[in-house]
Amino acid sequence: MTEATTLSSAVDEPAVTQKRWLRTAIPGPKSLARQARRDSAVPNGIGTVLPVFVGRMSGGIVVDVDGNQLVDLASGIAVTSVGGAHPAVVSRVHEQVDRFSHTCFLVTEYDGFVEVADTLNRLTPGDHAKKTMLFTTGAEAVENAVKIARSATKRQAVITFGHAYHGRTLLTMTMTAKNAPYKDGFGPFAPEVYRAPLAYPYRWGTTPEQCAHEALAALDDLVVKQIGAHNVAAIVIEPISGEGGFIVPPPGYLAGVQAIANAHGIVFVADEVQTGIGRTGAMFASEHAGIVPDLVVTAKALGGGLPLSAVTGRAELMDAVHPGGLGGTYSGNPVACAAALGVFEAIEQDHLLDRAREIGELITRRLHALAAECPWIGEVRGVGAMQAVEFVVPGTTEPSPEATAAVAAFCHHAGVLALTCGTYGNVVRMLPPLVISDELLEDALGVFADACRSLS
Ligand code: PLZ
């Protein structure tokens, strides 16, 4: 991919040049003209990072309706990891939609569903017997992982962590850590959800080893003393917290969490909705930590832009639910399954796991050099093509959401689509599509560096 400067697609238009290119201010006049209609038709409750309307996506480029070419460092929040219109996804989607778009797997069956399940059973960590159930959204899959764990253990309590994000439905919103904007005013929340502190090395104030040790002691206390281990159905954790700030836990921590779960017959669930399907340079982030979750939750990049999610896990757990206990009208929609098979094909054909690691190395090299000259950068962290910068008030560890917002705005106006995240709103994250070229990435990182230099 690195040598490619243009990418063609099925759209009957010239290929999109893989170059950042601004014709107008961002947002441009055509986006602005659409905004009034959007504002009157769509509620204020849905915020938009960058109010530009998109006309096309190709490789590492998002083309807006004004013809501006933005560098994509978002991938629609870690969804279009193989690009927004990868030929392997596009052709399979076309082929499937020409045949049929839906049957409901609860009514009649189709091959794509079983093929995606088989593939996830093969690719997820561990060589034990596994089964997969498909759903539509990440939140729905997390909810179902909890249902499966409760059904299998006959227990009710669910443990989640500080800085966690698991979705916006009642249960997953309850499991999510941050109040605003996700939970504020939406209570009462679901019962039997407990929260342990997350090992967050940068903010723990000790060595990483001590951080892991103390956070595990707190989890053990919660399980054994506060809830009672025999009441705990599941421990649910993101191997790297996504919305919470791309928090990479210290070595040994995730294995320690798994050990506590295993010791008490608690179902250990990895929420790999943001980290999974190649993002971190391994198919699953769990692999970096050497953990083997009982259940793995995937979504986002799985469907390559079409809504598809999954719970994959130990066959005996998955089969603990009574027939008819799992379902959903759109669960494992055939077009979304076709897209997922295209995603798996693209990852293999384009060597995108290797590419995610290369992207990670390139970004880390540039960001560490930048951190040495920019006092607003508190920490650079991430794994593979999931990298972030935490911004602080210079000379302190006090979060600076202001600097973060300023850097993001600078990038947006220069045509680089970067996202923020973090419990304190002080993290800029980079989630480029894995098909982005080195040249485009270097260009975007140059803009990011200029944005950091403009602080002070
Ligand atoms: N688990 C780890 O990252 C979704 C949220 C966007 P859904 N993250 C993006 C927003 O603000 O709504 C996410 C995640 C992890 C679960 C989910 C939920 O996935 O497909 O959005 O339901």
Side-chain angles (χ1 to χ4, degrees):
M1 280 314 300
T2 49
E3 70 282 1
T5 53
T6 60
L7 286 178
S8 58
S9 81
V11 178
D12 196 17
E13 286 172 16
V16 175
T17 312
Q18 294 295 297
K19 285 231 167 356
R20 181 169 57 99
W21 187 29
L22 298 188
R23 292 167 185 260
T24 71
I26 304 288
K30 290 182 181 166
S31 280
L32 286 173
R34 285 161 164 82
Q35 200 57 34
R37 186 174 178 213
R38 184 263 197 221
D39 289 343
S40 71
V42 179
N44 299 332
I46 178 159
T48 299
V49 172
L50 183 57
V52 304
F53 282 76
V54 171
R56 195 171 164 191
M57 284 168 77
S58 172
I61 290 288
V62 174
V63 188
D64 73 11
V65 288
D66 288 287
N68 297 302
Q69 301 202 168
L70 315 178
V71 184
D72 187 5
L73 294 186
S75 302
I77 321 191
V79 170
T80 51
S81 290
V82 303
H86 192 290
V89 174
V90 171
S91 61
R92 284 177 184 260
V93 164
H94 280 173
E95 198 188 331
Q96 178 59 46
V97 84
D98 281 346
R99 289 174 191 280
F100 61 93
S101 58
H102 175 84
T103 70
C104 186
F105 201 74
L106 283 73
V107 177
T108 52
E109 303 171 324
Y110 41 91
D111 287 333
F113 191 113
V114 181
E115 213 171 317
V116 172
D118 252 344
T119 308
L120 284 170
N121 294 341
R122 180 165 51 79
L123 295 177
T124 45
D127 49 17
H128 48 279
K130 291 176 222 156
K131 290 196 173 185
T132 289
M133 173 63 192
L134 300 179
F135 301 98
T136 309
T137 69
E140 190 191 8
V142 172
E143 292 244 359
N144 276 277
V146 171
K147 281 166 65 175
I148 292 163
R150 283 179 170 161
S151 182
T153 59
K154 313 273 186 287
R155 305 171 178 179
Q156 293 188 351
V158 177
I159 295 179
T160 62
F161 292 83
H163 310 284
Y165 184 92
H166 296 293
R168 291 178 183 265
T169 59
L170 177 59
L171 178 60
T172 59
M173 164 179 73
T174 307
M175 294 167 68
T176 291
K178 189 176 175 178
N179 177 52
Y182 308 121
K183 307 166 77 159
D184 204 39
F186 297 144
F189 301 109
E192 289 303 316
V193 174
Y194 301 84
R195 193 173 312 284
L198 178 77
Y200 185 167
Y202 179 66
R203 300 209 160 269
W204 202 272
T206 64
T207 62
E209 297 73 31
Q210 192 64 17
C211 168
H213 179 77
E214 290 176 13
L216 288 171
L219 174 63
D220 191 69
D221 185 79
L222 179 65
V223 169
V224 177
K225 294 286 185 290
Q226 299 178 45
I227 310 172
H230 60 285
N231 294 315
V232 182
I235 296 178
V236 185
I237 193 164
E238 297 161 81
I240 300 168
S241 311
E243 303 305 309
F246 282 28
I247 303 162
V248 184
Y253 174 71
L254 290 169
V257 174
Q258 170 161 12
I260 290 171
N262 292 354
H264 299 289
I266 298 166
V267 178
F268 179 52
V269 184
D271 178 344
E272 292 245 20
V273 168
Q274 191 152 161
T275 53
I277 318 295
R279 172 55 50 188
T280 64
M283 205 60 177
F284 298 96
S286 294
E287 296 169 44
H288 300 294
I291 54 172
V292 179
D294 298 313
L295 301 177
V296 177
V297 182
T298 48
K300 288 190 185 282
L302 174 64
L306 276 84
L308 185 68
S309 63
V311 179
T312 302
R314 295 186 181 281
E316 67 276 17
L317 290 177
M318 298 296 294
D319 279 336
V321 178
H322 53 275
L326 300 175
T329 304
Y330 295 110
S331 293
N333 167 271
V335 183
C337 286
L341 295 172
V343 167
F344 291 128
E345 185 186 317
I347 289 175
E348 199 175 320
Q349 271 179 9
D350 294 353
H351 307 288
L352 294 182
L353 299 186
D354 295 336
R355 186 63 195 142
R357 285 191 290 271
E358 287 169 13
I359 287 171
E361 282 159 22
L362 193 158
I363 296 180
T364 332
R365 196 166 58 239
R366 291 285 301 256
L367 291 184
H368 279 296
L370 184 62
E373 61 166 286
C374 176
W376 296 85
I377 296 182
E379 190 176 48
V380 172
R381 58 174 178 254
V383 182
M386 182 172 185
Q387 297 286 337
V389 174
E390 176 157 0
F391 286 92
V392 292
V393 175
T396 73
T397 56
E398 188 191 321
S400 181
E402 298 81 10
T404 310
V407 166
F410 185 108
C411 289
H412 296 163
H413 289 131
V416 172
L417 183 45
L419 300 177
T420 62
C421 63
T423 300
Y424 313 107
N426 68 327
V427 177
V428 172
R429 55 175 150 175
M430 297 183 184
L431 291 164
L434 307 179
V435 293
I436 196 170
S437 68
D438 279 358
E439 294 75 7
L440 210 48
L441 196 53
E442 294 270 13
D443 175 48
L445 289 164
V447 170
F448 181 77
D450 289 343
C452 291
R453 290 186 194 111
S454 77
L455 296 170
S456 84

